[in-house]
Amino acid sequence: MSSLVLPDPPSSEAIHLRRRFAKGPKLASFTLALKTFTPILGGGPVARSPDLPSVDIIRVPTLRGHLRFWWRALYGHAYVGQGAEALARRERELWGGMGRAKKGPGDDEARAWRSQVELRVLEVRPAGEDTKPINLGTMAGYALWPARKGKNEQADIPRWAPGLQFTLEVIAPEGEDMAQVRNAVRAWILFGGYGSRGRRGCGSVCLASSGPHAAEWLPASADRASLRRLFGDVPLFAPEQAADACDMPLLRGARLFQGNAGAKPRDGSEVWLIALKWLREFRQGTEPAAAGSAERVGIARKPGEGNRAGRSNWPEADKIRRFARPSGKDSRGGFASRSEGNAYPEVHAPRPQHSATAAWPRAGFGLPIVFHFQQKRREDGEYYQPKEPEDIQLQWEAGGSEKLMDRLASPLIVKALPLADGRFEPIALWLERGAPRDGQVVMTQRGTAVPRTRVPFERSFRARDDQPLFQTLQQADNLRDAFFWWLEETRRAQEA
């Protein structure tokens, strides 16, 4: 009996001759050889797994999720005035999606949609595991801290080391569909990453080689003109067009800053640390600015002693001390009320420049924010009396419901952007995104919202009766503009 010989699958060169079904559109494809230049954190099927996967190292479902996000960031602006259903329909038509309950006979929206975009991951070659303990004193640790071991974990979560290589093949219908898919892949390479913490530069990818084709995917420089040429007529980096800001992140009205002119290194990891340092210094820096007006810029935190951080000049810690309930139990066995004493030792009494009016400027970097106060004195290691606030978070509530929400992603991306010649530039990209409609920032203690701490997102940056000790916060009316003012004033970066 002769053996059955199956034909080879069609090559990508002949893909345009294929159709998924008889009357379907002709298909086109492209293939990219990619490599990572920063550590990959997460991205696997199991969150916080102590072992890295041995198969499906680069997962198609994870990639598809990244590409869908960047497709929305590129094209979602066209649907802002049409409502969420119009955007959802177009996204399902291209990327696929589950159906929903029928609203009536002939409701075509209820059916499931098959994705028109096929992704294939080939030839994955890891560069090894990174199992070193994460040091919060390093710049990389500022991005990787979520992988530190928890109470019931034996070690920090392992990461894939930079240098992992893989080939991505993409198949989609010819024409406008393929053009949009190519732009989504391009945006993911330039501004995104694989796995979690992509907005802090983790899992960043670039082309494996900088040949002649690199100019199709990467810019010559990180300036707006070079980037706009890559994306054709898609509106990018035009804040003046963001009149109808919604809570969907968009590139249309985003603001982009690039590192000031100088050497552009070929080590992407090195450039990543430069971009991370911008954010860390803005939030926690203790040294006066080397450039710009030191009096107008100020410092984010007072210098500490040894390994112990100094007192923050941001207002949140002082306001938490004003609003928090004291630690410990009251006479009835419940948590003490605010009227039963201070929730702070007198040595750390709230400073008068930060009033008792709720304002939470760092909420603009994303939520939740967990606060940990030093509970022991420097000099003798004994606990402060009264103790500092415990179990404090900043969270947010959906409009009118007072329901605590889990997460609000940061609109800020800091990373190294790959260039066509193989070099990299540090960038800070603030996506266009409005505040959640009628949403409020609120302080919680032991999982319960503290009523007097609620403030609408639009008024959360600075209270009218505050005089921020971090002087940069006096130079703008919102966190985005304060951060970018600080970058320019200290000569670190300029608008692209």
Side-chain angles (χ1 to χ4, degrees):
M1 178 184 292
S2 60
S3 60
L4 177 64
V5 179
L6 297 176
D8 292 332
S11 67
S12 59
E13 289 78 7
I15 200 71
H16 67 281
L17 301 177
R18 284 181 50 193
R19 301 174 191 264
R20 287 200 176 92
F21 45 91
K23 295 183 179 180
K26 290 184 178 180
L27 302 177
S29 75
F30 62 88
T31 301
L32 289 173
L34 302 169
K35 67 177 179 182
T36 63
F37 60 88
T38 61
I40 292 177
L41 178 59
V46 180
R48 300 193 67 84
S49 170
D51 301 304
L52 291 171
S54 57
V55 296
D56 267 358
I57 295 171
I58 301 295
R59 303 178 66 241
V60 166
T62 302
L63 278 174
R64 188 181 298 278
H66 291 315
L67 296 182
R68 290 179 79 138
F69 171 87
W70 288 107
W71 178 85
R72 289 191 296 271
L74 285 165
Y75 298 102
H77 66 273
Y79 301 89
V80 169
Q82 302 178 40
E85 285 201 9
L87 173 63
R89 178 185 176 89
R90 171 58 185 148
E91 183 175 344
R92 286 197 301 269
E93 287 175 349
L94 181 59
W95 297 95
M98 299 298 292
R100 57 163 171 76
K102 280 193 175 185
K103 294 181 178 179
D107 181 7
D108 190 51
E109 297 295 316
R111 69 181 178 89
W113 298 72
R114 174 178 175 170
S115 175
Q116 297 298 304
V117 183
E118 184 177 347
L119 305 177
R120 298 175 180 173
V121 175
L122 312 168
E123 302 171 357
V124 180
R125 297 187 297 279
E129 298 183 9
D130 180 1
T131 57
K132 298 187 296 293
I134 295 171
N135 182 354
L136 294 184
T138 65
M139 208 57 62
Y142 187 68
L144 297 171
W145 67 264
R148 297 188 76 204
K149 65 180 179 180
K151 291 182 179 179
N152 299 317
E153 294 172 330
Q154 300 300 313
D156 292 345
I157 304 301
R159 291 79 60 198
W160 288 115
L164 181 148
Q165 299 189 41
F166 64 98
T167 300
L168 174 64
E169 183 178 11
V170 181
I171 303 169
E174 289 181 342
E176 180 62 20
D177 284 353
M178 176 54 88
Q180 292 188 9
V181 171
R182 288 177 70 92
N183 274 340
V185 173
R186 187 178 285 117
W188 170 65
I189 292 172
L190 293 172
F191 310 123
Y194 182 84
S196 64
R197 298 289 283 174
R199 300 192 188 200
R200 297 298 174 259
C202 295
S204 291
V205 299
C206 63
L207 301 185
S209 62
S210 54
H213 72 292
E216 299 177 27
W217 295 96
L218 306 176
S221 170
D223 62 88
R224 282 184 290 179
S226 298
L227 288 163
R228 285 170 174 167
R229 281 193 291 270
L230 282 176
F231 289 91
D233 59 356
V234 180
L236 302 174
F237 317 124
E240 67 278 4
Q241 297 184 23
D244 301 319
C246 63
D247 57 4
M248 174 172 56
L250 299 172
L251 284 166
R252 174 191 62 178
R255 290 188 67 185
L256 176 68
F257 273 58
Q258 64 182 135
N260 280 327
K264 297 180 177 64
R266 292 185 175 273
D267 184 344
S269 294
E270 175 186 336
V271 178
W272 170 51
L273 298 181
I274 294 172
L276 275 179
K277 187 175 182 179
W278 294 346
L279 182 56
R280 183 175 182 178
E281 290 297 303
F282 180 68
R283 296 185 68 158
Q284 301 178 4
T286 60
E287 298 292 332
S293 169
E295 290 185 359
R296 296 178 71 205
V297 173
I299 56 174
R301 182 186 291 276
K302 292 182 178 180
E305 298 178 9
N307 293 327
R308 192 162 185 164
R311 192 167 182 178
S312 175
N313 283 331
W314 288 77
E316 286 91 346
D318 281 339
K319 291 180 182 288
I320 288 169
R321 291 184 175 104
R322 292 186 185 278
F323 292 122
R325 293 169 294 174
S327 299
K329 303 288 186 177
D330 61 17
S331 58
R332 298 174 298 279
F335 286 110
S337 68
R338 186 68 187 86
S339 62
E340 293 185 39
N342 291 331
Y344 53 84
E346 193 57 37
V347 68
H348 291 157
R351 293 160 290 185
Q353 293 89 341
H354 299 148
S355 71
T357 304
W360 314 107
R362 279 179 285 187
F365 283 133
L367 294 167
I369 301 175
V370 180
F371 288 86
H372 297 288
F373 289 80
Q374 291 285 352
Q375 299 294 346
K376 295 182 179 181
R377 297 194 294 256
R378 283 188 176 94
E379 56 272 18
D380 57 12
E382 296 295 321
Y383 283 97
Y384 287 116
Q385 293 297 331
K387 294 177 69 177
E388 290 275 26
E390 292 182 302
D391 198 7
I392 301 291
Q393 293 191 37
L394 282 185
Q395 295 180 260
W396 69 285
E397 296 173 337
S401 70
E402 296 188 1
K403 176 185 177 183
L404 291 173
M405 308 301 289
D406 291 334
R407 185 172 182 267
L408 183 65
S410 174
L412 174 65
I413 296 169
V414 287
K415 72 183 300 285
L417 185 141
L419 303 177
D421 63 0
R423 297 181 297 167
F424 297 84
E425 278 194 70
I427 64 163
L429 172 66
W430 199 291
L431 296 168
E432 172 194 341
R433 189 188 71 191
R437 189 181 302 276
D438 299 324
Q440 299 184 104
V441 185
V442 63
M443 184 190 101
T444 65
Q445 186 169 20
R446 304 183 186 96
T448 301
V450 179
R452 290 196 305 136
T453 67
R454 290 188 176 94
V455 60
F457 276 95
E458 294 80 3
R459 300 204 308 269
S460 64
F461 176 66
R462 185 175 63 242
R464 290 182 179 180
D465 49 353
D466 275 355
Q467 297 176 324
L469 292 168
F470 182 24
Q471 284 83 352
T472 288
L473 303 183
Q474 301 180 26
Q475 311 303 325
D477 295 324
N478 59 74
L479 186 63
R480 181 197 68 180
D481 291 352
F483 178 55
F484 285 149
W485 180 90
W486 180 86
L487 284 178
E488 286 190 307
E489 182 69 16
T490 58
R491 312 290 193 272
R492 286 173 167 85
Q494 61 190 353
E495 191 140 19

